[in-house]
Amino acid sequence: MKFRSAAWFGPADRDGFIHRSWMKNQGLPDHLFDGRPVIGICNTWSELTPCNSHFRRIADHVKRGVYEAGGFPLEFPVMSLGETLMRPTTMLFRNLVSMDVEESIRANPIDGVVLLAGCDKTTPALLMGAASCDLPALMLSGGPMLNGKFRGRDIGSGTDVWKFSEDVRSGAMTMCEFMDAEACMSRSAGHCMTMGTASTMACMVEALGMGLPSNAAIPAADSRRYALAHLAGRRIVAMVNEDLRMSKVLTRKAFENAIRAVGAVGGSTNAVIHLLAIAGRVGVKVTLEDWDTLGRAVPCLVNLMPSGKYLMEDFYYAGGLPAVMRELGDLSHGDAMTVNGKTMGENVAGAPCYDRDVIKPLSDPFKADGGLAVVRGNLSPNGAVIKPSAATPALMKHRGRAVVFENIDDFRARIDDDSLDIDPSCVMVLKNCGPRGYPGMPETGNMPLPPKILKQGVTDMIRISDARMSGTAYGTVVLHVSPEAAAGGALALVKNGDMIELDVAARRLHLDVPETELATRRSAWKPPQPPSERGYYQLYHQHVLQADRGADLDFLVGKSGAEIPKECH
Ligand code: FES
């Protein structure tokens, strides 16, 4: 079989000389250019992305497997996205990385690719970019950190940061204790070990069939993560020989499996946006409504933070995602193809569960409602998302007075002010934190409560915004309101004192203001200034889609394949 890399390395002419000769300066012998499959290893390693900082070692193990199977591995970097450091938000750059991935693959002599991802946005960015090329591709996640350990108990990435910082604000924890917890939380290589966005993404990858079985949960520090990397290297060579392209794996059934798996693991609301964007690239119709309808029948089976008690290390020892998919039974499509050449059903048949307190049976779930609810109404005509399993049941049906923050600066300036006119029955509203507004749709949706409310012992209130929320966070938080305020959505028109009704069971989000009054406010509304006159910010602002369409750039939706570009010399 002739692979696309042969167009570079095959010809016995001037151009072939140039392609081979310069590569040989790396010490590569002649036989590697004999027509064997070239495997790209797309690496998001960066010391600025601590969750992916062990990826050079992982890549080395992938290479072992590629060589062993008769392939030729070539590692290449793409822009990395570190959740904890990048400003204004990594989400602004997810689509940029996807472009980097897509064009890096297509422009180079690559026949198949192993995608190395870990921190939140690296996973969707790589899947989106690779899907637009549609070559054989396999994703290898970097694995979660070991459980955090602080003063004799387990603590989870993110989830306990939010808890501790609220405790400091309410006076329940000293600043000294708070600082002590830092090193205890992040004590090994890997990504956040709660069922936050990174772990949700890793579960999504496995449920989509894009990762080898057990890819989601093996800790980064566990030697089996490196054995899996070796096997991934072996397998991608076979995938190229079988021409098992991404579009053969990423079918509608695969997306349905992923939506249900996210519900079953109590996954992050961020999965909604990323999955919609990935489906858009590969050309499979998936809508926001699918999240509601497919997720409705799925209970949450996994007792992990932020909704539960355990962490990813425990999840792996309990059986990991194969045990969850087996438990889902008829709720998943057993005939969906996966990257190892077997169906999902074949992969998970007989997958054991070793700890029923971590992974519950379908007959006795951890929480009855695992799915994500999509609420609509005059405040979110194109939908908004809430995660019932992380919310307070008593607030799921509520009518309250709006306390409005025009943007994140306004919120930060006023939230700690004891004169803020707010009580626990109010509904906190944050505007201009959507894709265009911030820009980039940051994780500011789980607004911290005012100290004067926390001091009353109240830990949750309804919060509504066009922002996202960290997958490690919790609360009765309505997110991704679409259209966003900066695009002229009704969210922009809410004023202090307006009454808002949330009814999750009825899937309703209503701003109780007469339509005539809203029309008056709308005619006075002016769009905020674009964030920049130039560069990527401007491109993003002009082309980003709303949250209900995955917040991809409009011109990136779909795929262009991997046709070999013109010669460069
Ligand atoms: Fe990287 Fe959480 S900060 S996964």
Side-chain angles (χ1 to χ4, degrees):
M1 188 195 278
K2 219 170 169 199
F3 303 115
R4 73 190 288 277
S5 59
W8 282 261
F9 297 142
D13 59 12
R14 184 200 63 176
D15 292 337
F17 178 105
I18 292 170
H19 301 142
R20 290 182 298 270
S21 174
W22 267 258
M23 291 297 283
K24 285 178 179 176
N25 78 351
Q26 301 177 81
L28 300 167
D30 284 342
H31 71 269
L32 290 178
F33 301 92
D34 62 2
R36 68 189 61 205
V38 174
I39 304 301
I41 302 172
C42 179
N43 201 341
T44 48
W45 169 87
S46 168
E47 287 178 342
L48 291 166
T49 307
C51 308
N52 299 15
S53 62
H54 58 301
F55 279 20
R56 281 170 157 176
R57 190 175 158 217
I58 287 194
D60 283 342
H61 284 260
V62 175
K63 286 179 194 170
R64 291 184 194 182
V66 173
Y67 279 126
E68 189 176 290
F72 176 11
L74 290 170
E75 184 184 346
F76 64 98
V78 288
M79 182 181 177
S80 191
L81 302 175
E83 204 60 32
T84 49
L85 301 181
M86 285 190 94
R87 297 181 181 191
T89 166
T90 50
M91 184 63 182
L92 176 65
F93 305 112
R94 183 200 64 179
N95 302 336
L96 180 63
V97 174
S98 78
M99 290 169 81
D100 183 355
V101 172
E102 176 179 351
E103 303 303 342
S104 293
I105 293 172
R106 188 179 297 116
N108 278 298
I110 288 172
D111 302 310
V113 62
V114 177
L115 307 165
L116 303 189
C119 201
D120 297 9
K121 308 303 181 301
T122 55
T123 298
L126 267 54
L127 286 174
M128 290 161 69
S132 288
C133 292
D134 199 19
L135 286 172
L138 181 161
M139 180 160 269
L140 181 66
S141 302
M145 288 188 268
L146 298 174
N147 290 4
K149 297 278 180 187
F150 178 60
R151 301 191 172 184
R153 72 174 184 91
D154 283 358
I155 56 170
S157 319
T159 302
D160 278 297
V161 182
W162 315 130
K163 248 184 218 141
F164 291 163
S165 78
E166 298 284 84
D167 286 350
V168 171
R169 293 172 80 231
S170 72
M173 186 182 204
T174 67
M175 186 49 80
C176 188
E177 290 167 328
F178 184 69
M179 302 300 277
D180 270 358
E182 275 181 14
C184 304
M185 184 167 288
S186 311
R187 64 188 186 93
S188 81
H191 59 69
C192 293
M193 81 312 253
T194 41
M195 187 52 79
T197 304
S199 299
T200 303
M201 289 290 109
C203 290
M204 189 190 82
V205 166
E206 196 173 326
L208 280 170
M210 283 301 303
L212 295 175
S214 292
N215 172 66
I218 305 173
D222 194 306
S223 54
R224 287 164 286 188
R225 173 62 58 189
Y226 299 87
L228 192 78
H230 188 126
L231 295 175
R234 281 177 61 103
R235 178 59 198 156
I236 188 67
V237 176
M239 286 175 69
V240 172
N241 286 316
E242 294 161 12
D243 195 30
L244 184 53
R245 292 164 184 270
M246 272 182 95
S247 55
K248 295 180 184 171
V249 175
L250 291 180
T251 59
R252 169 81 193 180
K253 286 182 178 176
F255 284 101
E256 292 190 5
N257 280 350
I259 289 172
R260 288 183 168 129
V262 169
V265 300
S268 159
T269 45
N270 286 320
V272 177
I273 292 189
H274 298 321
L275 200 85
L276 291 172
I278 296 163
R281 294 298 186 96
V282 85
V284 172
K285 190 164 167 31
V286 178
T287 64
L288 196 53
E289 222 48 52
D290 287 324
W291 277 94
D292 198 312
T293 49
L294 292 167
R296 231 176 246 230
V298 181
C300 177
L301 303 178
V302 173
N303 182 4
L304 253 63
M305 290 183 203
S307 304
K309 168 175 161 195
Y310 295 100
L311 294 164
M312 286 298 282
E313 189 182 341
D314 310 306
F315 182 47
Y316 176 52
Y317 303 148
L321 198 76
V324 173
M325 295 306 289
R326 186 185 60 79
E327 201 61 50
L328 283 178
D330 290 344
L331 282 175
S332 69
H333 298 289
D335 57 345
M337 179 49 64
T338 76
V339 287
N340 71 351
K342 296 184 182 161
T343 64
M344 181 59 70
E346 288 169 334
N347 283 340
V348 306
C353 174
Y354 298 110
D355 190 336
R356 277 299 182 199
D357 202 34
V358 179
I359 304 174
K360 302 278 189 183
L362 198 60
S363 55
D364 179 25
F366 174 55
K367 291 193 177 188
D369 191 358
L372 301 169
V374 177
V375 290
R376 293 177 193 272
N378 65 349
L379 192 48
S380 58
N382 295 342
V385 168
I386 182 169
K387 182 176 175 181
S389 63
T392 301
L395 291 173
M396 299 284 269
K397 183 169 182 181
H398 184 81
R399 179 180 162 92
R401 170 172 64 89
V403 175
V404 177
F405 302 95
E406 291 298 324
N407 53 45
I408 195 68
D409 296 323
D410 181 32
F411 173 79
R412 288 183 180 137
R414 295 197 290 129
I415 191 63
D416 289 338
D417 186 344
D418 274 347
S419 67
L420 184 68
D421 181 16
I422 193 166
D423 65 66
S425 72
C426 289
V427 174
M428 294 167 68
V429 175
L430 176 61
K431 303 178 183 177
N432 293 306
C433 289
R436 275 205 231 169
Y438 198 73
M441 206 182 179
E443 293 181 335
T444 52
N446 54 311
M447 293 163 255
L449 303 192
K452 71 177 188 184
I453 301 274
L454 290 170
K455 281 177 192 149
Q456 296 170 31
V458 175
T459 54
D460 196 12
M461 287 172 64
I462 294 180
R463 288 156 273 177
I464 299 174
S465 74
D466 44 13
R468 296 178 300 116
M469 168 173 92
S470 165
T472 60
Y474 46 85
T476 311
V477 186
V478 178
L479 303 152
H480 312 179
V481 168
S482 177
E484 64 173 300
L491 189 68
L493 311 179
V494 184
K495 287 189 173 173
N496 280 323
D498 289 348
M499 296 306 287
I500 293 179
E501 292 168 9
L502 172 69
D503 185 346
V504 178
R507 300 300 193 254
R508 183 164 181 267
L509 181 64
H510 181 69
L511 175 62
D512 194 7
V513 173
E515 192 45 53
T516 48
E517 167 62 15
L518 289 178
T520 308
R521 292 184 194 179
R522 191 169 283 115
S523 59
W525 177 78
K526 288 196 178 59
Q529 284 293 311
S532 172
E533 290 297 310
R534 64 167 299 281
Y536 176 71
Y537 275 61
Q538 198 208 37
L539 183 77
Y540 179 90
H541 186 262
Q542 286 176 353
H543 293 280
V544 71
L545 297 168
Q546 289 294 287
D548 61 301
R549 298 193 53 202
D552 202 355
L553 301 185
D554 52 10
F555 61 87
L556 290 176
V557 174
K559 60 178 189 271
S560 313
E563 201 175 314
I564 297 163
K566 281 185 254 188
E567 176 56 75
C568 58
H569 306 294

